[in-house]
Amino acid sequence: MHTIRTIKGMVAWSRSAERDGRSIGFVPTMGALHEGHKSLIKSARAACDAVVVSIFVNPLQFGPMEDLERYPRPLEEDMRLCRREKVDVVFLPAVDELYPSAFETAVSVQRLTRRFEGISRPGHFGGVATVVTKLLNIVHPGKAFFGQKDYQQAAVVSRLVADLNICTEIIVRPTVREPDGLALSSRNTFLTLEERKAATVLYQALAAARDVIRDGERSAKKIRAAMIRTIWEEPLARLDYAAVADAETLEEVRSARGRLVLLLAVWIGNTRLIDNMELLCR
Ligand code: AMP
């Protein structure tokens, strides 16, 4: 396994793999790797000849009051996981390698970023879109793998790749969960034991909404109310947003028909968690 820290080195490796006719699968991450990341790496391993994983805690996608400083960075463990999963290259750029002092360009996706995470975390998607564009230009993969866990992010990345004619296929893989339903997240490590128990409320809220839909409810207002009620019942949880949206456009709907996504952001103590569930309604 190679560790590459420079853009020049990464570009040279990728172009050489391309010349050898090897397809590249790319998994961009912020590290603190868990089973969710591992499933993306396995998908890349299965679909491509070579696998590149980037580990970069992107300061551009964190707001001034967010958890950039305390974000976990267990590099040794991450490298071990990558080695075990037969990753070919870990791309590990420093902040000033990707953002030298003269850097002043941003990639901005418009409509899709004006709601949900875009409202709660102003500037977040500008940071995501900019770093993903840079990474795709540097690594030049045939396929890049993202998790459904970050539903809006996957939609934003798919949009920008289509709009900017970037020749990478975006593949979105299902959310990996703990046995009690909690979606794996690097931020789960912030939770105390008590908070960890409370955090299952996100999945419970999504499941409650799914159940009322199964029972025939089609009013988005009532479906949303089922999610909100479940969150309110957990004293350690504070709702940020709950929404019933069209799975494609992410516009909120009034009535549940076709492909939908339930979206949720909840504070558990000082930790903000997100989750979602895709549903097909007839
Ligand atoms: P992050 O390191 O949090 O930026 O995530 C890197 C990639 O892993 C993103 O595409 C995430 O959507 C994906 N990911 C994070 N958590 C999970 C999960 N529980 N299941 C599947 N993919 C995930």
Side-chain angles (χ1 to χ4, degrees):
M1 186 173 83
H2 303 277
T3 304
I4 299 180
R5 293 175 192 274
T6 64
I7 293 170
K8 211 170 144 195
M10 190 65 243
V11 168
W13 189 92
S14 285
R15 299 310 182 265
S16 153
E18 259 168 17
R19 271 196 305 277
D20 296 344
R22 299 175 74 207
S23 61
I24 299 174
F26 178 43
V27 182
T29 82
M30 298 207 299
L33 303 180
H34 50 61
E35 292 290 324
H37 299 109
K38 198 161 126 185
S39 80
L40 298 181
I41 296 172
K42 283 191 188 298
S43 298
R45 187 72 278 165
C48 306
D49 299 322
V51 177
V52 177
V53 172
S54 64
I55 299 179
F56 180 66
V57 183
N58 177 31
L60 231 56
Q61 71 189 68
F62 287 77
M65 306 302 281
E66 292 185 2
D67 52 2
L68 173 64
E69 296 309 324
R70 74 166 182 153
Y71 200 84
R73 292 165 170 86
L75 187 57
E76 279 310 307
E77 279 171 51
D78 288 351
M79 298 302 273
R80 265 200 298 280
L81 185 147
C82 287
R83 222 169 276 124
R84 270 201 312 273
E85 294 305 315
K86 307 219 174 345
V87 167
D88 295 271
V89 175
V90 176
F91 181 42
L92 211 57
V95 172
D96 58 3
E97 179 74 3
L98 283 193
Y99 305 122
S101 57
F103 185 84
E104 58 170 317
T105 301
V107 178
S108 154
V109 176
Q110 303 289 307
R111 189 192 53 81
L112 265 178
T113 66
R114 290 202 191 110
R115 54 181 67 93
F116 314 133
E117 291 301 286
I119 294 172
S120 298
R121 305 184 65 189
H124 171 67
F125 283 123
V128 169
T130 303
V131 83
V132 169
T133 303
K134 284 171 70 72
L135 290 170
L136 294 179
N137 281 336
I138 294 164
V139 177
H140 220 257
K143 295 180 164 72
F145 297 79
F146 291 82
Q148 191 197 312
K149 156 79 176 17
D150 299 276
Y151 196 93
Q152 195 178 5
Q153 169 175 283
V156 166
V157 169
S158 301
R159 188 71 261 148
L160 84 85
V161 161
D163 289 352
L164 300 180
N165 310 101
I166 296 175
C167 293
T168 297
E169 185 186 348
I170 300 302
I171 295 176
V172 182
R173 301 289 303 146
T175 302
V176 177
R177 299 179 179 281
E178 299 281 7
D180 64 5
L182 177 67
L184 295 189
S185 163
S186 307
R187 291 191 167 94
N188 293 351
T189 57
F190 297 146
L191 302 170
T192 64
L193 217 61
E194 209 185 349
E195 288 171 345
R196 167 63 188 81
K197 281 188 202 141
T200 57
V201 77
L202 280 90
Y203 185 71
Q204 285 160 8
L206 294 170
R210 178 197 59 201
D211 290 348
V212 301
I213 293 171
R214 268 194 197 153
D215 291 345
E217 185 56 70
R218 290 293 176 269
S219 152
K221 206 171 156 189
K222 291 191 177 152
I223 296 164
R224 187 167 170 268
M227 289 195 272
I228 294 173
R229 242 188 341 266
T230 311
I231 302 296
W232 276 352
E233 282 165 14
E234 170 49 62
L236 294 182
R238 187 162 52 83
L239 182 73
D240 182 349
Y241 63 78
V244 184
D246 181 281
E248 208 64 46
T249 63
L250 293 188
E251 304 278 356
E252 284 190 83
V253 298
R254 282 160 159 274
S255 153
R257 302 250 179 269
R259 268 186 67 223
L260 293 178
V261 60
L262 310 171
L263 296 155
L264 206 51
V266 178
W267 287 93
I268 305 287
N270 292 324
T271 305
R272 186 173 174 281
L273 300 176
I274 58 172
D275 202 350
N276 65 81
M277 188 182 278
E278 244 187 343
L279 294 168
L280 185 59
C281 280
R282 298 184 196 286

